[in-house]
């Protein structure tokens, strides 16, 4: 589906009125939670199409909600974890969704991804990248791009995240996990894991305990 509201495509306002974004998010969550692999790439592709149409609508001066894609913010951790999918095509579509989501909702995406769930997805993805590298199956370019994005998100200004992000205890647990992960990481992956751990450790210091 091309990013446009015209032609024979369903108009953007109709998509929003019928809560298509919400329905697609629900199918994606179901496919992910139940490991329904055949569903993953096509559903991610629909997510990418909806997000692309939102970008196009914003370029034309319309609201970011003309298509109704804000609900996809809740699926950001799924997008991140899916970048480690064994099927390269699925991984690439998932990463496109991460980039588009950050483009449309930069602050909100960062807030969602800096939760325990979102950062847990980062750890899962990086662990999978390392396993692929050891097995000789890595898509080095994709992995490097994803890791750069994770580092960028982790090192962003943490102030907006203090109230809505994970607790100090959750952050400490995630830092410990990343520190363990560094042991098996190589090169750039190790540097990124260290950068994320440092950013989280700094955030943990200003978070209330609990």
């Amino acid at each position: 589906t091309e990013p446009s509201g015209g032609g024979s495509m369903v108009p953007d306002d109709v998509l929003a009125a019928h809560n298509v974004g919400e329905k697609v998010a629900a199918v994606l969550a179901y496919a992910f939670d139940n490991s329904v692999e055949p569903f993953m790439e096509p559903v991610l592709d629909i997510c990418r199409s909806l997000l692309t149409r939102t970008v196009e609508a914003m370029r034309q001066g319309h609201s970011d909600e003309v298509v109704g894609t804000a609900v996809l913010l809740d699926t950001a951790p799924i997008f991140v974890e899916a970048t480690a999918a064994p099927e390269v095509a699925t991984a690439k579509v998932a990463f496109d969704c991460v980039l588009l989501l950050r483009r449309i909702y930069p602050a909100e995406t960062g807030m969602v991804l800096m939760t325990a769930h979102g950062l847990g997805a980062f750890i899962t993805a990086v662990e999978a990248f390392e396993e692929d590298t050891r097995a000789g199956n890595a898509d080095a370019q994709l992995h490097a791009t994803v890791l750069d994005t994770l580092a960028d998100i982790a090192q962003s200004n943490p102030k907006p995240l203090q109230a809505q992000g994970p607790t100090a205890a959750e952050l400490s647990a995630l830092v410990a996990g990343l520190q363990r992960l560094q042991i098996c990481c190589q090169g750039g992956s190790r540097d990124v894991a260290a950068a994320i751990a440092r950013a989280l450790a700094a955030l943990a210091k200003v978070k209330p305990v609990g």
Side-chain angles (χ1 to χ4, degrees):
T1 304
E2 293 301 321
S4 171
S8 60
M9 294 176 57
V10 178
D12 292 340
D13 57 344
V14 174
L15 293 174
H18 287 80
N19 300 315
V20 171
E22 184 176 336
K23 292 177 173 66
V24 171
V27 174
L28 177 63
Y30 174 85
F32 182 78
D33 292 342
N34 294 279
S35 301
V36 187
E37 296 298 334
F39 279 18
M40 286 300 295
E41 185 182 349
V43 177
L44 285 167
D45 194 43
I46 295 172
C47 291
R48 179 173 61 180
S49 178
L50 291 173
L51 291 167
T52 300
R53 289 180 68 164
T54 300
V55 169
E56 179 61 24
M58 292 171 66
R59 185 181 295 121
Q60 296 174 5
H62 300 298
S63 163
D64 58 12
E65 269 307 282
V66 69
V67 182
T69 52
V71 66
L72 295 180
L73 278 166
D74 292 337
T75 66
I78 295 178
F79 294 154
V80 169
E81 195 162 335
T83 64
E87 299 80 11
V88 174
T90 299
K92 288 182 175 178
V93 175
F95 187 56
D96 284 346
C97 290
V98 173
L99 294 180
L100 286 164
L101 205 56
R102 285 195 75 202
R103 184 173 175 184
I104 301 165
Y105 310 109
E108 294 87 344
T109 302
M111 292 173 72
V112 171
L113 293 181
M114 288 291 282
T115 61
H117 185 199
L119 291 165
F122 286 165
I123 294 174
T124 299
V126 175
E127 286 176 335
F129 293 166
E130 291 306 316
E131 183 176 335
D132 286 349
T133 299
R134 287 193 292 269
N137 299 324
D139 184 322
Q141 183 176 1
L142 176 63
H143 291 185
T145 307
V146 173
L147 290 169
D148 284 346
T149 300
L150 306 194
D152 182 51
I153 291 172
Q155 296 177 93
S156 297
N157 183 357
K159 289 183 180 179
L161 310 175
Q162 292 176 14
Q164 301 186 41
T167 65
E170 289 171 333
L171 284 167
S172 296
L174 286 164
V175 169
L178 281 162
Q179 289 171 338
R180 289 193 301 272
L181 180 59
Q182 289 174 55
I183 297 172
C184 71
C185 285
Q186 301 293 326
S189 297
R190 177 178 296 171
D191 293 341
V192 168
I196 297 174
R198 285 195 300 271
L200 296 181
L203 181 57
K205 291 179 181 177
V206 299
K207 290 284 290 190
V209 176

